[in-house]
Amino acid sequence: MNAELLLPLIGIPLVVIGFALRVNPLLVVTVAGLGTGFAVGMDFMSLLETFGEKFLNSRQLTSSLLILPIIGLLEHYGLRERAQQWVASIRSATTGRILMLYFVVREASAAMGLLSLGGQAQTVRPLLSPMAEGAASNLHGELPPAIRDRIAAHAAACDNVALFFGEDIFIAFGAVLLMAAFLKENGITGIEPLAIGIWGMPTALCALVIHLFRLSRLDASIAKDIAAWQKTNQANQVNQAKQTEVVVSA
């Protein structure tokens, strides 16, 4: 095999080695891009021009980076605590009901193309997860770490599942357009993005029903696990008290 054909692939082992050594991802990608450019004969100024052009063409992707410091500041000034306090004031609020409501809103908004309405960084971590935990704490008091992690996992899953199946209904979604273009290029005509979106509805409805059913059983499962945890703690406290009495009497 001609070695010249393999030189443009030098960026792949650079990325693998950099990630394996846990080097800064931005630095790894930059070095891999420079290495690939030099391997194909580009000069340094051409590489800088290419980097700048690609950055300007996809600069909207970097806007997501602004979310992280903003959410960090909001959490620093008590966003999570405020969300928990607000949910605690609603007597009818439970973990399952909050997650079910978010799932319906998230899938419906994704089906209409509002993909950025929610999200892990801007909604789940600072708002949805604390609200779900606050509802559980309001009903059961102190929550064990395992239950907190479980609630956070369900909150993250709600966003992922609702977005995954809801966005396939939106006819201007990139994946829908890609499928329509791929079918046309391979001689399969008569399938428009609207048809793909319509046929995505049954799957989205099935995901909605199945996930809402799972969430409807979440409150009872949490209550059962917390009761078992409290019973175990009480038994441990009784055993410790007995051991203390034995030591004192001895």
Side-chain angles (χ1 to χ4, degrees):
M1 183 178 293
N2 192 348
E4 294 182 358
L5 298 177
L6 298 178
L7 283 178
L9 302 178
I10 193 173
I12 298 176
L14 290 176
V15 171
V16 173
I17 294 173
F19 286 171
L21 297 177
R22 297 185 179 181
V23 182
N24 187 294
L26 182 60
L27 178 61
V28 171
V29 173
T30 303
V31 171
L34 292 174
T36 302
F38 288 136
V40 298
M42 297 179 65
D43 58 80
F44 185 69
M45 296 305 297
S46 298
L47 281 173
L48 289 181
E49 182 180 354
T50 302
F51 271 97
E53 179 184 355
K54 298 304 180 182
F55 176 80
L56 290 176
N57 292 338
S58 60
R59 60 186 180 272
Q60 69 274 10
L61 298 177
T62 60
S63 61
S64 60
L65 298 177
L66 298 176
I67 296 175
L68 299 178
I70 294 174
I71 295 301
L73 287 173
L74 292 175
E75 289 190 359
H76 177 73
Y77 287 101
L79 177 63
R80 294 174 61 90
E81 289 75 12
R82 293 290 183 181
Q84 289 178 341
Q85 292 174 2
W86 178 71
V87 170
S89 64
I90 304 176
R91 296 182 178 180
S92 60
T94 65
T95 300
R97 291 173 182 174
I98 291 174
L99 296 181
M100 290 169 70
L101 177 61
Y102 179 81
F103 190 95
V104 173
V105 173
R106 182 62 164 149
E107 188 171 29
S109 62
M112 292 185 292
L114 302 176
L115 305 181
S116 300
L117 186 62
Q120 299 291 342
Q122 64 268 36
T123 305
V124 174
R125 174 181 167 82
L127 291 175
L128 181 62
S129 182
M131 290 169 63
E133 290 183 14
S137 299
N138 190 35
L139 293 175
H140 307 289
E142 182 183 0
L143 300 178
I147 296 297
R148 293 183 180 275
D149 293 341
R150 183 179 177 188
I151 293 174
H154 274 281
C158 279
D159 188 88
N160 287 339
V161 176
L163 177 63
F164 183 85
F165 290 99
E167 64 188 3
D168 289 338
I169 302 176
F170 184 53
I171 60 175
F173 177 53
V176 174
L177 298 177
L178 177 62
M179 287 187 287
F182 177 81
L183 293 174
K184 287 182 179 180
E185 290 177 359
N186 288 272
I188 303 175
T189 60
I191 300 179
E192 300 297 330
L194 178 59
I196 297 176
I198 291 176
W199 281 103
M201 291 181 180
T203 307
L205 290 175
C206 289
L208 176 67
V209 172
I210 293 172
H211 209 80
L212 291 184
F213 174 73
R214 294 181 68 246
L215 292 175
S216 66
R217 304 174 59 187
L218 180 60
D219 291 328
S221 178
I222 290 176
K224 180 180 178 181
D225 292 342
I226 291 178
W229 175 72
Q230 293 174 345
K231 185 177 180 179
T232 302
N233 283 348
Q234 292 176 356
N236 291 336
Q237 291 176 359
V238 171
N239 292 333
Q240 290 178 358
K242 290 181 179 180
Q243 292 176 359
T244 303
E245 291 178 359
V246 171
V247 172
V248 172
S249 61

